[in-house]
Amino acid sequence: VGGHATVAGERLSLAGRVLSVDGSRTVEGRVEGTCAEAEALGLRLAEELAAEGGRDLVEEARAQVDG
């Protein structure tokens, strides 16, 4: 799981990526808004990534670690 944020004036851009353990599958997303919306933007991006398959990738990775 990775994330990157950039700020330009009052604008905030958040990018996120979730990859499978072997790197063969990936889910990516990006949201933009104002800095005042930072928390809501982060939650929206997390929800989008989870809905697009990121949740499954994280669960698969946890299963491999937990054995």
Side-chain angles (χ1 to χ4, degrees):
V1 177
H4 183 261
T6 57
V7 175
E10 289 298 314
R11 299 296 298 173
L12 174 64
S13 176
L14 300 176
R17 179 181 293 177
V18 182
L19 292 94
S20 60
V21 173
D22 66 3
S24 66
R25 293 174 291 152
T26 185
V27 177
E28 298 180 5
R30 176 179 299 273
V31 294
E32 295 184 11
T34 66
C35 292
E37 301 171 296
E39 183 176 357
L41 291 170
L43 290 171
R44 188 170 91 210
L45 179 57
E47 290 169 357
E48 289 177 8
L49 292 173
E52 293 175 16
R55 177 178 286 117
D56 295 334
L57 295 177
V58 170
E59 288 174 1
E60 290 172 16
R62 283 185 180 150
Q64 288 184 15
V65 169
D66 293 340

